[in-house]
Amino acid sequence: MKVSIITVACNSATTIADAMASVLRQTYKDIEYIVVDGLSHDGTPDIIRQYEPRFEGRMKWVSEKDNGIYDAMNKGVLMATGDVVGILNSDDYLTDDTVIERMVEQFPEDIGAIYGDVHFVKADNLQRCVRYYSGRIFRPWLIRLGFLPPHPSLYVRRRLFQQYGLYDASLRISADYELIARLTLKHRVPMKYLHIDFVTMRLGGASTRNWKSRFLGAKENLLACKKNHIATNRLLISLKYPIKLLSSIFIRN
């Protein structure tokens, strides 16, 4: 199984090397690495160029204007040739060297996507976990309550993007939510949970930055459900945050 990992970057010079190095360290070698840079001006392209030879032909990248993070993700998906596609944010990194190998070993043919766990750290202390976000409690019906498995742990068969479409780039924050809702509730794609800590995430993502982002996210979640004819309402969507808090208790043990 060939795995395509996509990193979207924009002025990520302080963190992208960690992401790229974590891909290089993977024990599983049939990995295609794709970097989509949004015309960074802080030296990010120089770092990408430095790392490119180390991938020995398994890496490709572009640096060009895009229309937001999900538009950039879509560019990466269209560039991908792997059987399975995952997203690794430029300020995150794969938690250990065997993540992809273990994921591939447990990816049966009848499953369309796999997801697991992630954990959050502060940028100034990468060794201290401040929140562990488990996908263990996820069930498709929880999408109606605004909850979804950790997107950075999600690996989807590429044929499903071809069959059911890419990320909805008209959404600024919730295109990952819309994609998972479309796959699981609209098209009934079977997904599997793995008890693996896929990704170490620095705090400060676009969807968790402040209350305005949360408000926009809830609004877009409602729109995503409406687009896919999924019954929910504002009150149900607001249950997302207590459910996320509950999911944090399902730590590795």
Side-chain angles (χ1 to χ4, degrees), residues 144 178 181-182 185-186 188 222-232:
R144 302 178 193 275
E178 191 279 333
R182 187 183 346 134
L185 288 184
K186 184 175 182 179
R188 308 295 178 182
L222 285 170
L223 178 59
C225 287
K226 183 178 180 180
K227 286 184 175 187
N228 290 288
H229 308 288
I230 298 167
T232 190

Coordinates of all heavy atoms in Angstrom, one line a residue, residues 144 178 181-182 185-186 188 222-232:
R144 N -23.8 14.6 14.1 CA -25.0 15.4 14.3 C -24.8 16.3 15.5 O -25.5 17.4 15.6 CB -26.3 14.6 14.4 CG -26.6 13.7 13.3 CD -27.8 12.9 13.5 NE -28.0 11.8 12.5 CZ -28.5 11.9 11.3 NH1 -29.0 13.1 11.0 NH2 -28.6 10.9 10.5
E178 N -17.1 18.6 7.2 CA -18.0 18.3 6.1 C -17.6 17.1 5.3 O -18.5 16.3 4.9 CB -18.1 19.6 5.1 CG -19.1 19.5 4.1 CD -18.8 18.7 2.9 OE1 -17.6 18.6 2.6 OE2 -19.7 18.2 2.2
A181 N -18.5 14.0 7.4 CA -19.9 13.9 7.4 C -20.4 13.3 6.1 O -21.3 12.4 6.1 CB -20.6 15.2 7.7
R182 N -19.9 13.8 5.0 CA -20.3 13.4 3.7 C -19.9 11.9 3.5 O -20.7 11.1 2.9 CB -19.6 14.2 2.6 CG -20.0 14.0 1.2 CD -19.3 14.8 0.1 NE -18.5 15.9 0.6 CZ -17.3 16.1 0.2 NH1 -16.7 15.3 -0.7 NH2 -16.6 17.2 0.6
L185 N -22.0 9.7 6.9 CA -23.4 9.7 7.0 C -24.1 9.7 5.6 O -25.2 9.1 5.5 CB -23.9 10.9 7.8 CG -23.6 10.8 9.3 CD1 -24.2 12.0 10.0 CD2 -24.2 9.5 9.9
K186 N -23.6 10.4 4.6 CA -24.2 10.4 3.3 C -23.9 9.2 2.5 O -24.8 8.6 1.9 CB -23.8 11.7 2.6 CG -24.5 11.9 1.3 CD -24.2 13.2 0.6 CE -24.9 13.4 -0.7 NZ -24.6 14.7 -1.3
R188 N -22.1 6.4 3.7 CA -21.9 5.2 4.5 C -20.6 4.5 4.3 O -20.5 3.3 4.3 CB -23.1 4.2 4.2 CG -24.5 4.9 4.3 CD -24.8 5.3 5.7 NE -26.1 5.9 5.8 CZ -26.6 6.4 6.9 NH1 -25.9 6.4 8.1 NH2 -27.8 7.0 6.9
L222 N -23.3 23.5 10.8 CA -24.7 23.5 10.4 C -24.9 23.5 8.9 O -25.7 22.8 8.4 CB -25.4 24.7 11.1 CG -25.7 24.6 12.6 CD1 -26.2 25.9 13.1 CD2 -26.7 23.5 12.8
L223 N -24.1 24.4 8.3 CA -24.2 24.5 6.8 C -23.7 23.1 6.2 O -24.3 22.7 5.2 CB -23.3 25.6 6.3 CG -23.2 25.8 4.8 CD1 -24.6 26.1 4.2 CD2 -22.3 27.0 4.5
A224 N -22.7 22.5 6.7 CA -22.2 21.3 6.1 C -23.2 20.2 6.2 O -23.4 19.4 5.3 CB -20.9 20.8 6.9
C225 N -23.9 20.1 7.4 CA -25.0 19.1 7.5 C -26.1 19.4 6.6 O -26.7 18.5 6.0 CB -25.5 19.1 9.0 SG -24.3 18.4 10.1
K226 N -26.5 20.7 6.4 CA -27.6 21.0 5.5 C -27.2 20.6 4.1 O -28.1 20.0 3.4 CB -27.8 22.5 5.6 CG -29.0 23.0 4.7 CD -29.2 24.5 4.8 CE -30.4 24.9 3.9 NZ -30.6 26.4 4.1
K227 N -26.0 20.8 3.7 CA -25.5 20.5 2.3 C -25.7 19.0 2.1 O -25.9 18.5 0.9 CB -24.1 20.9 2.1 CG -23.9 22.4 1.9 CD -22.4 22.7 1.5 CE -22.2 24.1 1.2 NZ -20.8 24.4 0.7
N228 N -25.5 18.2 3.1 CA -25.5 16.7 3.0 C -26.8 16.1 3.5 O -26.9 14.9 3.7 CB -24.3 16.1 3.7 CG -23.0 16.4 3.0 OD1 -22.7 15.9 2.0 ND2 -22.2 17.4 3.6
H229 N -27.8 16.9 3.8 CA -29.1 16.5 4.2 C -29.1 15.7 5.5 O -29.7 14.6 5.6 CB -29.8 15.7 3.1 CG -29.8 16.4 1.7 ND1 -30.6 17.5 1.5 CD2 -29.1 16.2 0.6 CE1 -30.4 17.9 0.2 NE2 -29.5 17.1 -0.3
I230 N -28.3 16.2 6.4 CA -28.1 15.6 7.7 C -28.9 16.4 8.7 O -28.6 17.6 8.9 CB -26.6 15.5 8.1 CG1 -25.8 14.6 7.1 CG2 -26.4 14.9 9.5 CD1 -24.3 14.7 7.2
A231 N -29.8 15.7 9.4 CA -30.6 16.5 10.4 C -29.9 16.8 11.7 O -29.3 15.9 12.3 CB -31.9 15.6 10.7
T232 N -29.8 18.1 12.0 CA -29.2 18.5 13.3 C -29.7 19.9 13.5 O -30.6 20.4 12.8 CB -27.7 18.5 13.2 OG1 -27.2 18.7 14.5 CG2 -27.1 19.5 12.3

